[in-house]
C-alpha cells in the first residue's frame, strides 16, 4: 500500500510515523511545501524570551530522522491538485499515484484577501518569517499584533519584555474568548493592561496598508494608527482550494465522516483542514490546535492501517503562560451552556497552589447535574500546574463523575502541591 501525506507539520508527521510504525511495509511519502520541515511555528516568542538561543534549536523533527525510519520525504514541493484514478499533481509537474491520501495542509493567517508577502506585514509560522522579523527588531519602535488568541498573546507577552511599543487588537470583548469565560481571565487582562501593551478589545481592524515610508497604517473605529510592523495572529483558516473535487463546508473546511474520510473514500483529512465534533455538545467546530492535529492524525492512521476507528471528538484542551499567569481550559464553558442539552452545575474555587506558597489557583468546574459527569474546567494561577489540566482533560474524555475525579491519586509534595482533592468540596451549599 502507498500512502501519500500532503503537509509536513504536526499532523502530517504524526500520521507518517503512526502508519509506518503500525504497518512497516507500507510505503509512506510525506510532501511539504517548505524547504525544511519540523520548524516550530510561532517560535519568535521563544527567541525573544530567551528560551531558545537560536532558530536552529527550534526543530522538533528533521527530514533525516523520518527518512531513517523509512519514510520518504519531499520538501520544497507543493501539491497542486487531485487527478483521476488516485493521482495527485505536484508543482514540479510530476504525477504521483496513491492508495490512500492524507490531507494535512494546516492553516494560515491572512488579513482579508492580502496573501502576498510584505516586509512590514508578517505572520510567524515559518523559519523565513521569524528570521526576517528578528533581523528587523533592532530598528523597530512600534509593533501591532492583530488577534488576541494563543499566538497573539504569546507575541504580546514576549514583545512586552522588549522596549517596543506594542498594540494588541482583538475584535471580541475579551482575549481567548473561545476558551474561557470572561470572569476567569480578568486577572490576565488586568496584567496585560498594567504592562507596556496597549490592549484594544472590541476593536476590528478594517484595513492594514504599507506606506511608502516603510511604515504600516492600521484603520479601525474611524481612526488609524501607524506602526513599524504588523504581526498577523488573527484566526487561522485552511486553504483547500486545490481539492475542488472533494465536498467542502461553507467555511472551506473539507467534509469528513466519523472516520475522517472525505467524500473520496481513499482520501482522509485531518487537523486544520477540517471541522471536528466538540465532544460535549456534538457541535462541529473549527479548532486550530496542535493537540487536535495530532489526535486526528492518530485516528486516521488507525483506519488506514486496518483498524476502523471513529473520531470521538475533541474536548478542546488549551493552556499557556502569559504575563505571569498560567491559564488552562478544557471542555464546556458556562457561556456554551445553552448548547448543552442537560442541566449543569458550576462551582468556582480558590485553592492553595502549594503548602508553602501563598499563591492561589482559581478553578471553575462544570458538571452534569443528573449524572455528575465532568464537563469542563478552567484554571488560572501564577503557579504552573499543567498536570492538573491534563487530569481534567482525561476525566472529561473518559466521562468520569466529579466524585470519581476527587478519588484520583495525585503526586504530592508541599513545595509544589496542596493536597488538592481533599479540599475539593464541590457540593452546593
Amino acid at each position: 500500500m502507498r500512502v501519500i501525506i500532503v503537509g509536513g507539520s504536526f499532523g502530517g508527521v504524526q500520521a507518517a510515523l503512526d502508519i509506518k510504525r503500525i504497518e512497516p511495509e507500507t510505503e509512506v511519502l510525506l510532501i511539504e511545501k517548505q524547504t525544511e520541515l519540523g520548524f516550530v511555528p510561532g517560535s519568535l516568542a521563544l527567541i525573544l524570551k530567551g528560551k531558545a538561543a537560536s532558530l536552529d534549536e527550534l526543530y522538533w523533527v528533521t527530514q533525516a530522522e523520518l527518512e531513517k525510519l523509512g519514510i520518504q520525504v519531499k520538501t520544497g514541493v507543493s501539491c497542486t491538485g487531485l487527478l483521476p484514478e488516485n493521482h495527485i499533481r505536484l508543482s514540479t509537474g510530476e504525477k504521483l499515484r496513491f492508495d490512500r491520501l492524507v490531507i494535512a495542509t494546516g492553516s494560515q493567517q491572512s488579513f482579508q484577501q492580502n496573501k502576498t508577502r510584505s516586509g512590514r506585514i508578517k505572520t510567524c509560522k515559518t523559519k523565513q518569517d521569524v528570521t526576517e522579523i528578528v533581523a528587523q527588531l533592532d530598528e523597530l519602535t512600534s509593533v501591532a499584533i492583530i488577534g488576541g488568541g494563543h499566538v497573539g498573546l504569546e507575541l504580546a507577552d514576549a514583545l512586552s519584555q522588549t522596549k517596543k511599543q506594542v498594540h494588541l487588537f482583538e475584535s471580541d470583548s475579551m482575549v481567548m474568548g473561545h476558551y474561557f469565560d470572561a470572569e476567569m481571565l480578568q486577572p490576565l487582562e488586568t496584567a496585560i493592561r498594567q504592562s507596556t501593551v496597549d490592549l484594544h478589545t472590541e476593536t476590528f481592524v478594517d484595513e492594514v496598508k504599507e506606506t511608502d515610508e516603510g511604515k504600516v497604517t492600521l484603520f479601525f473605529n474611524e481612526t488609524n494608527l501607524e506602526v513599524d510592523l504588523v504581526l498577523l495572529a488573527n484566526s487561522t483558516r485552511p486553504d483547500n482550494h486545490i481539492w475542488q473535487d472533494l465536498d467542502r463546508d461553507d467555511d472551506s473546511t473539507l467534509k469528513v465522516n466519523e472516520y475522517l474520510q472525505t467524500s473520496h473514500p481513499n482520501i482522509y483529512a485531518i487537523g486544520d483542514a477540517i471541522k471536528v465534533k466538540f465532544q460535549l455538545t456534538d457541535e462541529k467546530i473549527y479548532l486550530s490546535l496542535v493537540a487536535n492535529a495530532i489526535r486526528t492524525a492518530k485516528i486516521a492512521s488507525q483506519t488506514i492501517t486496518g483498524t476502523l476507528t471513529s473520531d470521538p471528538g475533541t474536548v478542546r484542551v488549551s493552556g499557556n503562560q502569559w504575563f505571569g499567569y498560567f491559564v488552562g481550559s478544557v471542555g464546556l464553558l458556562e457561556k456554551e451552556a445553552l448548547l448543552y442539552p442537560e442541566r449543569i452545575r458550576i462551582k468556582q474555587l480558590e485553592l492553595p497552589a502549594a503548602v508553602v506558597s501563598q499563591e492561589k489557583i482559581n478553578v471553575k468546574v462544570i458538571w452534569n447535574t443528573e449524572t455528575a459527569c465532568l464537563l469542563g474546567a478552567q484554571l488560572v494561577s501564577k503557579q504552573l500546574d499543567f498536570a492538573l489540566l491534563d487530569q481534567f482533560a482525561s476525566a472529561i474524555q473518559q466521562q468520569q463523575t466529579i466524585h470519581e475525579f476527587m478519588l484520583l491519586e495525585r503526586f504530592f509534595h508541599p513545595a509544589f502541591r496542596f493536597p488538592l482533592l481533599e479540599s475539593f468540596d464541590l457540593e452546593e451549599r
Side-chain angles (χ1 to χ4, degrees):
M1 182 170 66
R2 188 185 210 199
V3 179
I4 296 179
I5 301 166
V6 181
S9 191
F10 293 98
V13 170
Q14 185 67 56
L17 291 170
D18 280 0
I19 291 167
K20 198 66 178 176
R21 174 181 55 81
I22 298 169
E23 291 287 347
E25 300 305 313
T26 298
E27 181 185 358
V28 179
L29 171 60
L30 182 68
I31 298 170
E32 168 55 43
K33 65 182 179 181
Q34 300 296 329
T35 56
E36 296 179 290
L37 59 77
F39 184 72
V40 178
S43 54
L44 175 61
L46 299 176
I47 292 289
L48 295 178
K49 291 181 177 181
K51 294 186 177 181
S54 72
L55 297 182
D56 293 335
E57 296 180 11
L58 293 168
Y59 287 87
W60 57 279
V61 71
T62 66
Q63 181 171 341
E65 289 171 336
L66 295 180
E67 289 176 339
K68 188 175 181 180
L69 296 171
I71 297 167
Q72 301 172 49
V73 180
K74 284 181 179 287
T75 56
V77 179
S78 299
C79 176
T80 59
L82 191 61
L83 298 174
E85 299 180 350
N86 287 8
H87 282 73
I88 58 171
R89 186 192 300 276
L90 302 184
S91 54
T92 58
E94 185 180 3
K95 298 178 183 178
L96 297 177
R97 182 197 61 81
F98 63 85
D99 295 301
R100 302 289 185 272
L101 178 70
V102 180
I103 298 171
T105 44
S107 60
Q108 60 186 359
Q109 275 104 10
S110 63
F111 189 81
Q112 298 175 346
Q113 302 304 313
N114 179 20
K115 295 184 180 180
T116 59
R117 290 192 61 82
S118 165
R120 297 286 177 174
I121 304 170
K122 294 184 175 296
T123 66
C124 302
K125 294 200 76 169
T126 68
K127 185 177 182 180
Q128 182 179 353
D129 291 333
V130 177
T131 301
E132 292 174 357
I133 293 167
V134 170
Q136 289 178 306
L137 277 178
D138 287 344
E139 64 184 69
L140 302 177
T141 58
S142 57
V143 180
I145 302 164
I146 300 178
H150 290 92
V151 176
L153 280 170
E154 192 145 36
L155 289 169
D157 186 27
L159 286 165
S160 71
Q161 299 172 30
T162 69
K163 294 182 180 180
K164 317 300 178 188
Q165 182 182 11
V166 182
H167 295 268
L168 177 60
F169 291 87
E170 171 53 50
S171 59
D172 197 357
S173 60
M174 61 176 287
V175 297
M176 293 293 290
H178 294 304
Y179 300 92
F180 290 89
D181 291 315
E183 80 282 359
M184 291 298 292
L185 283 197
Q186 280 304 308
L188 175 62
E189 287 209 358
T190 299
I192 296 172
R193 295 186 187 281
Q194 290 175 346
S195 75
T196 59
V197 175
D198 288 328
L199 177 60
H200 307 263
T201 53
E202 295 185 282
T203 304
F204 184 82
V205 178
D206 300 299
E207 186 180 3
V208 290
K209 186 181 295 184
E210 196 166 356
T211 70
D212 294 336
E213 293 77 29
K215 303 281 188 178
V216 184
T217 303
L218 298 91
F219 298 89
F220 57 94
N221 293 354
E222 299 183 354
T223 186
N224 61 77
L225 172 71
E226 189 175 82
V227 296
D228 296 317
L229 178 69
V230 171
L231 298 177
L232 299 178
N234 50 312
S235 298
T236 58
R237 302 306 304 169
D239 184 1
N240 289 321
H241 74 279
I242 65 172
W243 313 113
Q244 295 288 347
D245 295 333
L246 303 178
D247 291 347
R248 293 181 288 176
D249 281 313
D250 293 339
D251 61 354
S252 294
T253 54
L254 294 169
K255 289 185 177 181
V256 292
N257 63 15
E258 62 180 312
Y259 306 110
L260 305 181
Q261 292 168 298
T262 67
S263 52
H264 188 307
N266 292 329
I267 301 177
Y268 296 74
I270 62 175
D272 291 10
I274 63 174
K275 288 190 288 193
V276 292
K277 181 178 72 173
F278 184 38
Q279 201 175 110
L280 286 308
T281 63
D282 285 340
E283 175 193 16
K284 288 283 188 176
I285 63 172
Y286 185 73
L287 192 62
S288 183
L289 290 177
V290 171
N292 184 61
I294 292 174
R295 185 186 66 81
T296 51
K298 288 178 173 291
I299 290 167
S301 298
Q302 289 289 322
T303 297
I304 288 170
T305 54
T307 302
L308 195 63
T309 305
S310 62
D311 180 11
T314 178
V315 294
R316 198 176 55 194
V317 189
S318 170
N320 212 317
Q321 187 181 28
W322 302 302
F323 297 91
Y325 281 93
F326 156 73
V327 297
S329 171
V330 58
L332 192 73
L333 305 178
E334 182 178 1
K335 60 188 174 187
E336 295 173 319
L338 289 176
L339 300 173
Y340 186 72
E342 300 177 39
R343 292 176 57 218
I344 65 170
R345 295 174 78 172
I346 300 166
K347 187 78 171 184
Q348 289 187 240
L349 306 144
E350 187 179 76
L351 303 171
V355 173
V356 296
S357 171
Q358 298 301 309
E359 296 295 340
K360 303 292 184 181
I361 302 177
N362 291 316
V363 184
K364 183 173 186 176
V365 186
I366 300 174
W367 69 98
N368 183 299
T369 302
E370 299 301 321
T371 66
C373 284
L374 269 168
L375 302 174
Q378 297 166 60
L379 315 174
V380 178
S381 174
K382 288 191 173 182
Q383 182 161 315
L384 292 175
D385 198 343
F386 286 114
L388 180 58
L389 178 62
D390 277 339
Q391 209 163 21
F392 271 118
S394 295
I396 292 169
Q397 288 172 317
Q398 296 168 20
Q399 298 183 323
Q400 287 184 351
T401 68
I402 191 68
H403 310 295
E404 290 169 335
F405 181 78
M406 291 168 65
L407 295 176
L408 291 177
E409 185 176 3
R410 299 181 78 230
F411 161 78
F412 171 73
H413 187 285
F416 308 110
R417 287 269 172 83
F418 194 84
L420 182 63
L421 298 181
E422 293 180 15
S423 62
F424 213 16
D425 180 10
L426 292 170
E427 296 301 321
E428 292 290 344
R429 299 186 188 281

